[in-house]
Amino acid sequence: MNIPDEAFYGLLVRALQQRDAETLQRTLYHALRDAMLDGSLQAHSRLPGSRTIAQRLMVSRNTINAVLEQLATEGYLLRDRLGSHVAQLPAATEVVPLPVADITLPARLLQLPPGPRRDSPALAFTPGTPAVNYFPLPLWRRLLDRVLREEGSALLGYGDSAGEWPLRAAIARHLALSRGIHCDASQVVITEGALEGLNLCTHLLSEPGDVAWLEDPGYFGARSAFLTAGLRIKAMAVDDEGMVFPDNTLEVPRLIFTSPSHQYPTGKLLSASRRLALLTFASAQGAWIIEDDYDSEFRKSGEPVPAMLGMVKNAPVVYLGTFSKTLFPSLRIGFMVMPQALAKAAQPAIRSLLRGGHRTEQRALAGFIEEGHYARHLAAMRRLYRKRQAQLRDALAQALDVPHCIHGGEGGLHLTVEIAGIDDVRAAELARQYQLAPAALSRFYLNPAIGKTGLVLGYGNTSASQFAPAIRALNRLITQTQRGQE
Protein backbone atom coordinates (compact mmCIF):
# COMPACT_ATOMS: atom_id res chain seq x y z
CA MET A 1 0.00 0.00 0.00
CA ASN A 2 1.52 3.26 -1.17
CA ILE A 3 1.16 6.49 0.82
CA PRO A 4 -0.51 9.40 -0.99
CA ASP A 5 2.19 11.88 -1.97
CA GLU A 6 0.22 14.85 -0.67
CA ALA A 7 -0.10 13.41 2.85
CA PHE A 8 3.46 12.05 3.00
CA TYR A 9 5.31 15.11 1.79
CA GLY A 10 2.89 17.44 3.56
CA LEU A 11 3.88 16.15 7.01
CA LEU A 12 7.59 16.38 6.16
CA VAL A 13 7.32 19.92 4.78
CA ARG A 14 5.39 21.09 7.86
CA ALA A 15 8.04 19.56 10.10
CA LEU A 16 10.81 21.36 8.21
CA GLN A 17 8.96 24.66 8.39
CA GLN A 18 8.57 24.32 12.17
CA ARG A 19 12.15 23.18 12.76
CA ASP A 20 13.92 24.94 15.63
CA ALA A 21 17.36 23.97 16.87
CA GLU A 22 17.17 20.35 15.71
CA THR A 23 19.28 19.16 12.83
CA LEU A 24 17.61 18.45 9.50
CA GLN A 25 18.12 14.72 9.99
CA ARG A 26 16.56 14.65 13.48
CA THR A 27 13.61 16.77 12.32
CA LEU A 28 12.75 14.33 9.53
CA TYR A 29 13.32 11.34 11.81
CA HIS A 30 10.92 12.66 14.47
CA ALA A 31 8.29 13.59 11.86
CA LEU A 32 8.24 10.08 10.38
CA ARG A 33 8.48 8.27 13.73
CA ASP A 34 5.63 10.31 15.27
CA ALA A 35 3.45 9.71 12.21
CA MET A 36 3.98 5.95 12.54
CA LEU A 37 3.21 6.03 16.26
CA ASP A 38 -0.02 8.02 15.90
CA GLY A 39 -1.22 6.00 12.90
CA SER A 40 -0.87 8.73 10.28
CA LEU A 41 1.48 6.37 8.46
CA GLN A 42 -0.32 3.03 8.60
CA ALA A 43 1.28 -0.37 8.89
CA HIS A 44 2.51 -1.89 5.59
CA SER A 45 2.42 1.52 3.88
CA ARG A 46 5.32 1.74 1.44
CA LEU A 47 7.47 4.86 1.46
CA PRO A 48 8.84 6.51 -1.68
CA GLY A 49 12.47 5.79 -2.51
CA SER A 50 15.21 7.81 -0.84
CA ARG A 51 16.21 9.48 -4.11
CA THR A 52 12.63 10.62 -4.74
CA ILE A 53 12.21 11.95 -1.21
CA ALA A 54 15.51 13.83 -1.40
CA GLN A 55 14.59 15.45 -4.71
CA ARG A 56 11.09 16.52 -3.55
CA LEU A 57 12.43 18.03 -0.31
CA MET A 58 15.61 19.33 -1.93
CA VAL A 59 17.87 17.78 0.68
CA SER A 60 20.82 15.42 0.50
CA ARG A 61 20.05 11.80 -0.30
CA ASN A 62 22.57 10.83 2.40
CA THR A 63 20.39 12.62 4.94
CA ILE A 64 17.29 10.69 3.84
CA ASN A 65 19.15 7.37 3.85
CA ALA A 66 20.43 8.08 7.37
CA VAL A 67 16.86 8.78 8.56
CA LEU A 68 15.48 5.60 6.96
CA GLU A 69 18.35 3.49 8.34
CA GLN A 70 17.73 4.79 11.87
CA LEU A 71 14.01 4.05 11.66
CA ALA A 72 14.75 0.57 10.33
CA THR A 73 17.28 -0.07 13.13
CA GLU A 74 14.67 0.85 15.73
CA GLY A 75 12.03 -1.36 14.13
CA TYR A 76 9.69 1.31 12.75
CA LEU A 77 10.50 0.46 9.13
CA LEU A 78 11.12 -2.81 7.33
CA ARG A 79 13.45 -2.59 4.35
CA ASP A 80 13.64 -4.97 1.40
CA ARG A 81 14.76 -4.90 -2.23
CA LEU A 82 11.64 -2.91 -3.15
CA GLY A 83 12.30 -0.15 -0.58
CA SER A 84 10.89 0.62 2.86
CA HIS A 85 7.48 0.00 4.40
CA VAL A 86 5.98 0.74 7.81
CA ALA A 87 6.18 -2.08 10.36
CA GLN A 88 3.13 -3.42 12.19
CA LEU A 89 3.04 -1.43 15.47
CA PRO A 90 0.50 -1.27 18.29
CA ALA A 91 -1.27 2.07 18.16
CA ALA A 92 0.21 4.54 20.62
CA THR A 93 -3.35 5.35 21.73
CA GLU A 94 -3.55 1.84 23.20
CA VAL A 95 -0.88 2.79 25.74
CA VAL A 96 -2.90 4.52 28.44
CA PRO A 97 -0.82 7.04 30.42
CA LEU A 98 -0.86 6.41 34.14
CA PRO A 99 -2.67 9.25 35.94
CA VAL A 100 -0.30 11.17 38.20
CA ALA A 101 -2.70 10.70 41.11
CA ASP A 102 -2.29 6.91 40.80
CA ILE A 103 1.50 6.92 41.15
CA THR A 104 2.50 5.59 44.57
CA LEU A 105 5.86 4.62 45.98
CA PRO A 106 6.42 1.43 48.01
CA ALA A 107 5.06 1.76 51.53
CA ARG A 108 8.50 1.55 53.14
CA LEU A 109 9.65 4.61 51.15
CA LEU A 110 6.62 6.63 52.21
CA GLN A 111 7.88 6.25 55.79
CA LEU A 112 11.23 7.89 55.03
CA PRO A 113 11.94 11.09 56.96
CA PRO A 114 12.11 14.28 54.89
CA GLY A 115 15.73 14.70 53.89
CA PRO A 116 17.57 17.92 54.72
CA ARG A 117 17.65 20.59 52.04
CA ARG A 118 21.03 21.08 50.41
CA ASP A 119 21.81 24.71 49.63
CA SER A 120 24.83 25.81 47.65
CA PRO A 121 26.50 27.67 49.15
CA ALA A 122 25.26 26.34 52.50
CA LEU A 123 23.16 28.75 54.55
CA ALA A 124 24.23 29.85 58.03
CA PHE A 125 23.53 27.36 60.85
CA THR A 126 23.29 24.39 58.47
CA PRO A 127 24.09 21.36 60.68
CA GLY A 128 26.94 19.09 59.72
CA THR A 129 28.65 21.52 57.35
CA PRO A 130 32.34 22.27 57.93
CA ALA A 131 34.17 25.53 57.27
CA VAL A 132 34.93 24.69 53.65
CA ASN A 133 36.53 28.09 53.03
CA TYR A 134 39.34 27.04 55.40
CA PHE A 135 40.18 23.93 53.39
CA PRO A 136 43.67 24.22 51.76
CA LEU A 137 42.42 24.15 48.18
CA PRO A 138 45.73 25.05 46.48
CA LEU A 139 47.44 22.16 48.27
CA TRP A 140 44.62 19.79 47.29
CA ARG A 141 44.90 20.91 43.67
CA ARG A 142 48.66 20.17 43.71
CA LEU A 143 48.05 16.71 45.11
CA LEU A 144 45.47 15.97 42.41
CA ASP A 145 47.84 17.22 39.72
CA ARG A 146 50.66 15.09 41.07
CA VAL A 147 48.51 11.96 41.10
CA LEU A 148 47.36 12.55 37.53
CA ARG A 149 50.92 13.29 36.40
CA GLU A 150 52.32 10.14 38.01
CA GLU A 151 49.45 7.73 37.33
CA GLY A 152 47.86 9.23 34.21
CA SER A 153 45.36 7.13 32.28
CA ALA A 154 45.99 4.13 34.56
CA LEU A 155 43.48 5.68 36.98
CA LEU A 156 40.71 6.03 34.40
CA GLY A 157 39.60 2.40 34.60
CA TYR A 158 37.67 0.64 37.35
CA GLY A 159 39.58 0.23 40.60
CA ASP A 160 39.34 -2.21 43.47
CA SER A 161 35.72 -2.47 44.63
CA ALA A 162 36.85 -1.88 48.21
CA GLY A 163 38.76 1.28 47.26
CA GLU A 164 42.33 2.31 46.49
CA TRP A 165 44.82 0.39 48.60
CA PRO A 166 47.02 3.42 49.48
CA LEU A 167 44.00 5.22 50.97
CA ARG A 168 42.83 2.15 52.87
CA ALA A 169 46.33 1.73 54.33
CA ALA A 170 46.54 5.43 55.23
CA ILE A 171 43.17 5.28 57.00
CA ALA A 172 44.23 2.18 58.96
CA ARG A 173 47.37 3.94 60.20
CA HIS A 174 45.44 7.10 61.07
CA LEU A 175 42.82 5.16 63.05
CA ALA A 176 45.47 3.33 65.06
CA LEU A 177 46.88 6.67 66.25
CA SER A 178 43.68 8.68 66.65
CA ARG A 179 40.90 6.22 67.48
CA GLY A 180 42.58 3.22 69.10
CA ILE A 181 41.52 0.94 66.24
CA HIS A 182 44.16 -1.58 65.23
CA CYS A 183 43.33 -2.94 61.80
CA ASP A 184 44.96 -3.47 58.44
CA ALA A 185 44.00 -2.14 55.03
CA SER A 186 42.12 -5.34 54.12
CA GLN A 187 39.53 -4.51 56.80
CA VAL A 188 38.84 -1.03 55.36
CA VAL A 189 36.29 -0.43 52.59
CA ILE A 190 36.02 2.96 50.92
CA THR A 191 32.44 4.12 50.40
CA GLU A 192 30.72 7.07 48.78
CA GLY A 193 30.00 8.76 52.07
CA ALA A 194 28.74 7.27 55.32
CA LEU A 195 25.27 6.58 53.91
CA GLU A 196 26.64 4.09 51.39
CA GLY A 197 28.44 2.42 54.27
CA LEU A 198 25.14 2.14 56.13
CA ASN A 199 23.42 0.66 53.10
CA LEU A 200 26.27 -1.81 52.69
CA CYS A 201 25.85 -2.87 56.34
CA THR A 202 22.16 -3.65 55.77
CA HIS A 203 23.03 -5.78 52.72
CA LEU A 204 25.82 -7.67 54.46
CA LEU A 205 24.37 -8.13 57.93
CA SER A 206 20.55 -8.23 57.84
CA GLU A 207 17.46 -9.58 56.15
CA PRO A 208 14.15 -7.78 55.52
CA GLY A 209 12.00 -7.99 58.65
CA ASP A 210 14.94 -7.98 61.07
CA VAL A 211 14.84 -5.58 64.03
CA ALA A 212 17.18 -2.58 64.14
CA TRP A 213 17.76 -0.39 67.18
CA LEU A 214 18.11 3.30 66.44
CA GLU A 215 18.83 6.20 68.77
CA ASP A 216 15.83 8.47 69.28
CA PRO A 217 16.44 11.28 68.42
CA GLY A 218 18.92 10.08 65.85
CA TYR A 219 20.47 10.33 62.42
CA PHE A 220 18.10 10.69 59.44
CA GLY A 221 20.35 8.60 57.20
CA ALA A 222 20.25 5.53 59.43
CA ARG A 223 16.47 5.62 59.53
CA SER A 224 16.31 5.90 55.74
CA ALA A 225 18.79 3.05 55.22
CA PHE A 226 16.94 0.72 57.61
CA LEU A 227 13.48 1.48 56.22
CA THR A 228 14.68 1.02 52.64
CA ALA A 229 16.15 -2.35 53.61
CA GLY A 230 12.81 -3.44 55.08
CA LEU A 231 14.01 -3.52 58.68
CA ARG A 232 11.74 -2.93 61.66
CA ILE A 233 13.04 0.00 63.69
CA LYS A 234 12.84 0.15 67.47
CA ALA A 235 13.44 3.61 68.96
CA MET A 236 16.01 3.72 71.75
CA ALA A 237 15.83 6.75 74.05
CA VAL A 238 18.88 8.91 74.72
CA ASP A 239 19.83 10.40 78.10
CA ASP A 240 22.95 12.03 79.55
CA GLU A 241 24.93 8.78 79.11
CA GLY A 242 23.88 8.26 75.50
CA MET A 243 21.64 5.50 74.19
CA VAL A 244 19.55 3.89 76.94
CA PHE A 245 20.15 0.15 77.09
CA PRO A 246 16.95 -1.77 78.00
CA ASP A 247 16.95 -4.22 80.89
CA ASN A 248 15.13 -6.79 78.80
CA THR A 249 13.93 -7.06 75.24
CA LEU A 250 11.34 -9.30 73.62
CA GLU A 251 12.78 -8.87 70.13
CA VAL A 252 16.50 -9.29 69.70
CA PRO A 253 17.91 -6.75 67.22
CA ARG A 254 20.08 -7.73 64.30
CA LEU A 255 21.57 -4.24 63.93
CA ILE A 256 22.23 -1.60 66.61
CA PHE A 257 23.06 1.86 65.31
CA THR A 258 24.78 4.29 67.65
CA SER A 259 26.97 7.40 67.51
CA PRO A 260 28.76 6.80 70.82
CA SER A 261 31.48 9.43 70.69
CA HIS A 262 29.13 12.34 69.91
CA GLN A 263 25.48 11.32 69.73
CA TYR A 264 23.63 13.01 66.90
CA PRO A 265 21.96 15.42 67.49
CA THR A 266 22.18 15.68 71.31
CA GLY A 267 25.97 15.52 71.54
CA LYS A 268 25.92 13.02 74.43
CA LEU A 269 28.80 10.60 75.05
CA LEU A 270 27.96 6.91 75.47
CA SER A 271 29.43 6.00 78.85
CA ALA A 272 32.04 3.25 79.23
CA SER A 273 29.64 1.04 81.23
CA ARG A 274 26.97 1.26 78.54
CA ARG A 275 29.50 0.61 75.79
CA LEU A 276 30.66 -2.57 77.49
CA ALA A 277 27.08 -3.65 78.24
CA LEU A 278 26.15 -3.10 74.62
CA LEU A 279 29.18 -5.04 73.37
CA THR A 280 28.38 -7.92 75.75
CA PHE A 281 24.74 -7.99 74.66
CA ALA A 282 25.54 -7.87 70.94
CA SER A 283 28.12 -10.64 71.27
CA ALA A 284 25.72 -12.89 73.20
CA GLN A 285 22.75 -12.29 70.89
CA GLY A 286 24.49 -12.37 67.51
CA ALA A 287 23.74 -8.71 66.85
CA TRP A 288 25.96 -6.20 65.04
CA ILE A 289 26.75 -2.72 66.30
CA ILE A 290 27.14 -0.02 63.65
CA GLU A 291 29.36 2.67 65.17
CA ASP A 292 28.89 6.04 63.45
CA ASP A 293 31.95 8.17 64.21
CA TYR A 294 31.02 11.17 62.10
CA ASP A 295 32.89 14.03 63.82
CA SER A 296 34.77 12.73 66.88
CA GLU A 297 37.95 14.46 65.65
CA PHE A 298 36.53 17.78 66.85
CA ARG A 299 36.56 17.24 70.61
CA LYS A 300 36.47 20.55 72.48
CA SER A 301 39.21 19.48 74.88
CA GLY A 302 41.35 16.46 75.56
CA GLU A 303 41.97 13.52 73.27
CA PRO A 304 39.26 11.98 71.06
CA VAL A 305 37.31 9.24 72.84
CA PRO A 306 38.52 5.80 71.64
CA ALA A 307 36.14 3.95 69.34
CA MET A 308 34.03 1.00 70.46
CA LEU A 309 35.65 -1.13 67.77
CA GLY A 310 38.96 -0.80 69.64
CA MET A 311 37.63 -1.57 73.13
CA VAL A 312 37.37 -5.36 72.84
CA LYS A 313 39.20 -7.70 70.49
CA ASN A 314 37.02 -9.11 67.71
CA ALA A 315 34.04 -7.02 68.85
CA PRO A 316 30.88 -7.35 66.69
CA VAL A 317 31.24 -3.74 65.52
CA VAL A 318 31.35 -2.15 62.08
CA TYR A 319 32.91 1.28 62.26
CA LEU A 320 31.77 4.07 59.90
CA GLY A 321 33.76 7.23 59.21
CA THR A 322 33.52 10.06 56.72
CA PHE A 323 35.62 12.91 55.36
CA SER A 324 32.51 15.02 54.69
CA LYS A 325 32.80 16.73 58.08
CA THR A 326 36.59 16.87 58.42
CA LEU A 327 37.33 18.06 54.86
CA PHE A 328 34.41 18.97 52.59
CA PRO A 329 31.04 17.32 51.78
CA SER A 330 31.31 17.07 48.00
CA LEU A 331 34.39 14.86 48.33
CA ARG A 332 31.89 12.01 48.91
CA ILE A 333 34.45 9.69 50.47
CA GLY A 334 33.66 7.70 53.58
CA PHE A 335 34.89 4.38 54.89
CA MET A 336 33.93 1.40 56.98
CA VAL A 337 36.13 -0.87 59.08
CA MET A 338 35.04 -4.44 59.67
CA PRO A 339 36.35 -7.14 62.01
CA GLN A 340 38.82 -9.32 60.16
CA ALA A 341 36.53 -12.36 59.88
CA LEU A 342 33.67 -10.29 58.46
CA ALA A 343 36.00 -8.48 56.04
CA LYS A 344 37.18 -11.82 54.66
CA ALA A 345 33.67 -13.27 54.39
CA ALA A 346 32.27 -10.11 52.78
CA GLN A 347 34.84 -9.80 49.97
CA PRO A 348 32.79 -11.57 47.26
CA ALA A 349 29.64 -9.58 48.14
CA ILE A 350 31.53 -6.29 48.15
CA ARG A 351 32.85 -7.03 44.66
CA SER A 352 29.25 -7.47 43.52
CA LEU A 353 27.78 -4.49 45.39
CA LEU A 354 30.44 -1.82 44.82
CA ARG A 355 32.37 -0.45 41.87
CA GLY A 356 35.72 1.25 42.32
CA GLY A 357 35.62 4.93 41.46
CA HIS A 358 36.89 8.40 42.42
CA ARG A 359 40.35 6.89 42.07
CA THR A 360 42.20 10.17 41.58
CA GLU A 361 40.58 11.75 44.64
CA GLN A 362 41.27 8.65 46.72
CA ARG A 363 44.96 8.66 45.78
CA ALA A 364 45.22 12.38 46.50
CA LEU A 365 43.53 11.89 49.88
CA ALA A 366 46.00 9.12 50.73
CA GLY A 367 48.84 11.59 50.13
CA PHE A 368 47.02 14.27 52.13
CA ILE A 369 46.88 11.92 55.13
CA GLU A 370 50.32 10.33 54.83
CA GLU A 371 52.17 13.64 54.43
CA GLY A 372 50.64 15.05 57.62
CA HIS A 373 48.34 17.61 55.99
CA TYR A 374 45.23 15.92 57.38
CA ALA A 375 46.47 16.03 60.99
CA ARG A 376 47.45 19.69 60.63
CA HIS A 377 44.08 20.58 59.09
CA LEU A 378 42.22 18.79 61.90
CA ALA A 379 44.23 20.67 64.52
CA ALA A 380 43.44 24.01 62.88
CA MET A 381 39.75 23.17 62.58
CA ARG A 382 39.56 22.07 66.22
CA ARG A 383 40.82 25.49 67.28
CA LEU A 384 38.39 27.26 64.95
CA TYR A 385 35.33 25.25 66.01
CA ARG A 386 36.21 25.56 69.72
CA LYS A 387 36.27 29.33 69.32
CA ARG A 388 33.08 29.44 67.26
CA GLN A 389 31.18 27.30 69.73
CA ALA A 390 32.12 29.61 72.61
CA GLN A 391 31.03 32.63 70.57
CA LEU A 392 27.72 30.97 69.67
CA ARG A 393 27.07 30.22 73.35
CA ASP A 394 27.68 33.88 74.17
CA ALA A 395 25.25 34.97 71.43
CA LEU A 396 22.59 32.55 72.72
CA ALA A 397 23.02 33.83 76.28
CA GLN A 398 22.66 37.44 75.18
CA ALA A 399 20.00 37.27 72.45
CA LEU A 400 17.78 34.22 73.06
CA ASP A 401 15.13 35.33 75.54
CA VAL A 402 12.89 32.23 75.56
CA PRO A 403 13.58 29.48 78.13
CA HIS A 404 15.92 26.96 76.57
CA CYS A 405 18.43 24.22 77.30
CA ILE A 406 21.64 23.69 75.31
CA HIS A 407 22.73 20.11 74.61
CA GLY A 408 26.14 19.03 73.41
CA GLY A 409 29.17 21.20 73.42
CA GLU A 410 31.92 18.65 74.01
CA GLY A 411 32.84 18.96 70.36
CA GLY A 412 31.48 18.60 66.87
CA LEU A 413 29.98 21.19 64.55
CA HIS A 414 26.60 21.95 66.13
CA LEU A 415 24.71 22.81 69.29
CA THR A 416 21.19 21.56 70.00
CA VAL A 417 18.94 24.14 71.65
CA GLU A 418 15.90 22.52 73.24
CA ILE A 419 12.93 24.91 73.48
CA ALA A 420 9.67 23.51 74.81
CA GLY A 421 6.30 24.38 73.30
CA ILE A 422 7.31 25.72 69.88
CA ASP A 423 6.50 24.67 66.36
CA ASP A 424 10.15 24.08 65.49
CA VAL A 425 9.39 22.87 61.96
CA ARG A 426 7.63 26.15 61.20
CA ALA A 427 10.42 28.15 62.85
CA ALA A 428 13.04 26.38 60.71
CA GLU A 429 11.02 27.08 57.56
CA LEU A 430 10.62 30.77 58.40
CA ALA A 431 14.34 31.05 59.19
CA ARG A 432 15.16 30.44 55.54
CA GLN A 433 13.73 33.89 54.77
CA TYR A 434 16.73 35.25 56.70
CA GLN A 435 19.21 32.92 54.93
CA LEU A 436 19.39 30.70 58.02
CA ALA A 437 19.03 26.92 57.95
CA PRO A 438 18.78 25.46 61.47
CA ALA A 439 17.19 22.02 61.70
CA ALA A 440 14.04 21.29 63.71
CA LEU A 441 14.88 19.04 66.66
CA SER A 442 11.52 17.22 66.50
CA ARG A 443 12.36 15.95 62.99
CA PHE A 444 15.13 13.76 64.44
CA TYR A 445 12.59 11.66 66.37
CA LEU A 446 10.91 8.60 64.90
CA ASN A 447 7.62 10.17 65.97
CA PRO A 448 8.07 13.95 65.61
CA ALA A 449 4.64 14.59 67.12
CA ILE A 450 5.83 13.47 70.56
CA GLY A 451 9.50 14.42 70.26
CA LYS A 452 11.15 17.31 72.03
CA THR A 453 11.22 20.60 70.15
CA GLY A 454 14.00 23.05 69.49
CA LEU A 455 16.63 23.93 66.89
CA VAL A 456 19.89 22.29 65.87
CA LEU A 457 22.38 25.05 65.06
CA GLY A 458 25.40 24.21 62.93
CA TYR A 459 28.27 26.59 63.54
CA GLY A 460 30.95 24.92 61.41
CA ASN A 461 30.17 26.95 58.28
CA THR A 462 29.01 30.15 60.03
CA SER A 463 31.32 33.02 60.97
CA ALA A 464 31.01 34.53 64.44
CA SER A 465 30.01 37.91 63.00
CA GLN A 466 26.69 36.34 61.96
CA PHE A 467 25.81 34.86 65.34
CA ALA A 468 24.27 37.83 67.19
CA PRO A 469 21.96 39.11 64.39
CA ALA A 470 21.02 35.53 63.46
CA ILE A 471 20.06 34.62 67.04
CA ARG A 472 18.01 37.81 67.35
CA ALA A 473 16.11 36.84 64.17
CA LEU A 474 15.56 33.32 65.48
CA ASN A 475 14.34 34.71 68.80
CA ARG A 476 11.60 36.63 66.99
CA LEU A 477 10.62 33.57 64.94
CA ILE A 478 10.54 31.31 67.98
CA THR A 479 8.23 33.73 69.78
CA GLN A 480 5.92 33.78 66.72
CA THR A 481 5.80 29.98 66.53
CA GLN A 482 5.15 29.17 70.17
CA ARG A 483 2.28 26.73 70.25
CA GLY A 484 -1.05 28.27 71.08
CA GLN A 485 -0.21 31.60 69.44
CA GLU A 486 -1.75 32.76 66.20
Side-chain angles (χ1 to χ4, degrees), residues 24-175:
L24 183 65
Q25 182 176 318
R26 295 300 292 175
T27 299
L28 295 172
Y29 161 82
H30 282 128
L32 290 173
R33 187 200 66 174
D34 294 348
M36 295 176 203
L37 287 173
D38 67 19
S40 300
L41 293 180
Q42 297 180 6
H44 311 299
S45 298
R46 189 165 291 279
L47 274 60
S50 60
R51 186 189 301 276
T52 303
I53 299 173
Q55 290 174 346
R56 288 289 298 269
L57 298 178
M58 291 186 291
V59 299
S60 165
R61 188 181 179 191
N62 288 338
T63 298
I64 300 302
N65 277 327
V67 171
L68 299 180
E69 284 293 341
Q70 183 65 32
L71 291 168
T73 298
E74 295 180 22
Y76 293 102
L77 286 180
L78 300 176
R79 308 194 78 181
D80 55 30
R81 61 185 181 83
L82 298 177
S84 304
H85 63 272
V86 179
Q88 179 71 50
L89 300 171
T93 54
E94 296 175 11
V95 182
V96 180
L98 182 66
V100 174
D102 291 345
I103 298 176
T104 58
L105 297 175
R108 67 181 188 280
L109 297 185
L110 297 177
Q111 301 175 53
L112 294 180
R117 293 171 66 171
R118 304 297 187 189
D119 303 285
S120 185
L123 300 181
F125 287 155
T126 300
T129 304
V132 293
N133 56 318
Y134 280 77
F135 180 73
L137 200 55
L139 169 62
W140 181 249
R141 192 160 45 236
R142 289 197 297 273
L143 289 170
L144 289 172
D145 288 344
R146 186 179 72 189
V147 169
L148 288 170
R149 187 170 59 252
E150 294 177 353
E151 303 287 342
S153 60
L155 291 178
L156 301 183
Y158 288 111
D160 190 321
S161 297
E164 296 297 296
W165 189 267
L167 178 57
R168 295 160 67 189
I171 289 172
R173 284 188 283 272
H174 171 75
L175 292 176

Side-chain angles (χ1 to χ4, degrees), residues 96-274:
V96 180
L98 182 66
V100 174
D102 291 345
I103 298 176
T104 58
L105 297 175
R108 67 181 188 280
L109 297 185
L110 297 177
Q111 301 175 53
L112 294 180
R117 293 171 66 171
R118 304 297 187 189
D119 303 285
S120 185
L123 300 181
F125 287 155
T126 300
T129 304
V132 293
N133 56 318
Y134 280 77
F135 180 73
L137 200 55
L139 169 62
W140 181 249
R141 192 160 45 236
R142 289 197 297 273
L143 289 170
L144 289 172
D145 288 344
R146 186 179 72 189
V147 169
L148 288 170
R149 187 170 59 252
E150 294 177 353
E151 303 287 342
S153 60
L155 291 178
L156 301 183
Y158 288 111
D160 190 321
S161 297
E164 296 297 296
W165 189 267
L167 178 57
R168 295 160 67 189
I171 289 172
R173 284 188 283 272
H174 171 75
L175 292 176
L177 294 173
S178 66
R179 308 298 294 116
I181 297 174
H182 297 284
C183 63
D184 59 49
S186 67
Q187 295 171 250
V188 179
V189 175
I190 306 301
T191 61
E192 190 166 338
L195 188 56
E196 185 178 62
L198 263 171
N199 288 326
L200 189 57
C201 286
T202 64
H203 289 307
L204 295 175
L205 303 173
S206 68
E207 297 284 351
D210 283 347
V211 174
W213 285 1
L214 180 62
E215 296 165 330
D216 194 36
Y219 172 46
F220 292 110
R223 198 187 332 171
S224 298
F226 292 162
L227 288 172
T228 304
L231 305 184
R232 292 180 293 129
I233 297 175
K234 181 175 180 181
M236 308 300 291
V238 174
D239 65 12
D240 287 340
E241 292 186 64
M243 188 175 76
V244 177
F245 187 74
D247 294 330
N248 53 66
T249 179
L250 297 177
E251 290 187 296
V252 175
R254 179 59 177 167
L255 300 179
I256 302 170
F257 179 87
T258 181
S259 45
S261 297
H262 191 231
Q263 200 278 329
Y264 192 72
T266 67
K268 305 300 183 184
L269 175 69
L270 189 64
S271 66
S273 61
R274 287 193 185 173

Side-chain angles (χ1 to χ4, degrees), residues 406-420:
I406 299 175
H407 297 287
E410 292 303 315
L413 302 173
H414 72 273
L415 287 176
T416 296
V417 183
E418 181 184 339
I419 308 166

